Amino acid sequence: MLDKLNDFTQSHGAMRPGKGIITGVIALSLGILCLLGVIAFHFPQYLTTPQLRKSYDVDVIRTILFVALVVAGGLSLVNIIFNRSRWLSSAAFLLVVSATMLGGHKVPVQDFADGTPYIGLDWFILDLLGSALIFIFIEKLFALRRDQPIFRPEWQTDFHHFIVNHMVVGFVLLATNLMVHKFFGWAASDGLRGWVQGLNFWVALFLIVLVADLVQYWTHRAYHEVPTLWRLHAVHHSVKSMDWMAGSRQHILELLITRTLVLAPIYVLGFSKEVIDAYIVIVGFQAVFNHANVSVRLGPLRYILVTPNFHHWHHSQDKEALDRNYAAHFAFIDYAFGTAVKSTKLWPEQYGVLGDYVPNGFMKQLKFPFTWKG
């Protein structure tokens, strides 16, 4: 069974219906997330994100965990009974049993110490579950490339990036906060902050997105135009298939640099928590949606807002698209600075780095910026 699972996770391609593969994958995925969720309940001080702990309702999380256990257990049992991909469903059922034996959704949470070192296991579980449910559905409904399977080539590399970048969320938050306060703390002004916090919510939201995107634009442009920085950013551009997980392929050092530079003006200007929370939702959605395999252009609005079409061109190998379309939220920034793609084609033909010199695999890509001499 382990050999079959290993071969399966290293493969790619469409899942054939009627063989129990699709339901088996769903059961296995839910089983893994349920087991991780139960473990997080046992060790919340080390495996959960303090910022998230203050936001979500534990009873709701327990309900989600219970439903996921029931669905995973039910799907796997049906497949086992009808002899459909038994090896896959048996593995899923074992995970459900293990999670249940460890306490399932009823694990008691006692008082625990705050301020301990942690990894963002809860953030990884919630984001993966939410993103998969939302964006796989959207991609199937509005697919750009209908023949592209969910498990397309190199999905494993992007999934490894997804795991690591979520697990180290605590380190990223700590590091970026330290750097922002150290290098930009001098610029904070009580008067300016007071004025910003007094703005109407929608005005402040537009301002925070605009300010962040202007910083993002020039930072992003620097990644393309400065050879040393391109070595980091080339990892992100090495993805050859665009989908909801493609945006996860990002070098951890680039993640730290970009977040620090984007958070700096947000900190200096002193936006309210409500505005920052709304901005985080917008950033999170656009970061995934604009990489997704969806045929969305938004008509004339595409000249104002960044759409999947706009960002797909940024990832293109087509010569007219090289070093273009840098903005993350507002497309008019690229039009204003003359860096918007001009093409008679609706969509690009091919994605990835021109020359295809970035290796595949998480560890190889982690080392790539420091070993590439081209």
Side-chain angles (χ1 to χ4, degrees), residues 42-292:
H42 278 286
F43 305 100
Q45 67 272 42
Y46 303 113
L47 301 178
T48 62
T49 312
Q51 290 82 355
L52 280 182
R53 291 200 295 259
K54 300 172 184 177
S55 302
Y56 50 59
D57 189 318
V58 175
D59 290 333
V60 173
I61 300 299
R62 290 187 187 279
T63 301
I64 294 173
L65 181 55
F66 174 73
V67 172
L69 284 168
V70 172
V71 172
L75 290 176
S76 55
L77 271 178
V78 169
N79 282 343
I80 291 170
I81 292 170
F82 289 96
N83 194 23
R84 301 192 310 173
S85 301
R86 276 188 172 178
W87 57 275
L88 183 59
S89 295
S90 296
F93 190 71
L94 284 174
L95 289 168
V96 171
V97 170
S98 300
T100 303
M101 291 179 65
L102 286 172
H105 68 293
K106 295 182 178 179
V107 177
V109 178
Q110 310 296 339
D111 292 335
F112 54 87
D114 205 1
T116 56
Y118 68 94
I119 60 174
L121 183 59
D122 56 341
W123 174 233
F124 163 74
I125 295 170
L126 292 172
D127 197 25
L128 178 60
L129 183 61
S131 297
L133 287 174
I134 294 170
F135 290 102
I136 289 178
F137 174 76
I138 291 175
E139 287 188 341
K140 291 302 179 184
L141 201 61
F142 304 103
L144 171 63
R145 289 170 170 80
R146 297 188 179 278
D147 59 341
Q148 180 173 300
I150 295 173
F151 294 104
R152 40 78 176 174
E154 299 187 5
W155 71 268
Q156 299 93 336
T157 296
D158 296 320
F159 187 56
H160 292 157
H161 279 283
F162 185 96
I163 293 173
V164 172
N165 289 343
H166 281 73
M167 291 298 191
V168 299
V169 63
F171 167 72
V172 172
L173 287 171
L174 178 62
T176 53
N177 282 334
L178 286 174
M179 287 190 284
V180 166
H181 283 79
K182 179 178 176 62
F183 295 108
F184 302 99
W186 59 270
S189 165
D190 290 339
L192 179 59
R193 287 183 157 201
W195 178 79
V196 169
Q197 291 180 8
L199 292 173
N200 171 273
F201 173 83
W202 296 107
V203 174
L205 183 59
F206 171 78
L207 182 61
I208 193 175
V209 175
L210 178 61
V211 168
D213 207 14
L214 284 169
V215 175
Q216 175 84 22
Y217 172 88
W218 287 108
T219 303
H220 197 172
R221 189 166 175 173
Y223 279 125
H224 281 254
E225 297 182 358
V226 179
T228 303
L229 294 178
W230 171 249
R231 297 184 185 190
L232 290 173
H233 193 55
V235 170
H236 179 64
H237 272 268
S238 66
V239 67
K240 301 181 183 71
S241 303
M242 296 293 281
D243 67 358
W244 67 278
M245 197 171 283
S248 301
R249 186 180 296 201
Q250 188 174 22
H251 198 281
I252 188 65
L253 189 54
E254 179 187 348
L255 184 66
L256 285 169
I257 294 171
T258 303
R259 287 198 178 180
T260 298
L261 293 175
V262 171
L263 286 175
I266 293 175
Y267 164 74
V268 169
L269 292 172
F271 290 96
S272 68
K273 182 181 182 301
E274 291 75 17
V275 172
I276 293 175
D277 288 344
Y279 163 73
I280 291 172
V281 172
I282 292 171
V283 170
F285 178 81
Q286 276 197 290
V288 181
F289 183 62
N290 287 333
H291 288 90

Side-chain angles (χ1 to χ4, degrees), residues 337-362:
F337 290 113
T339 51
V341 169
K342 296 177 182 178
S343 177
T344 56
K345 295 179 295 186
L346 293 181
W347 292 89
E349 296 175 1
Q350 195 172 3
Y351 305 110
V353 174
L354 192 63
D356 195 22
Y357 47 75
V358 181
N360 184 38
F362 175 77

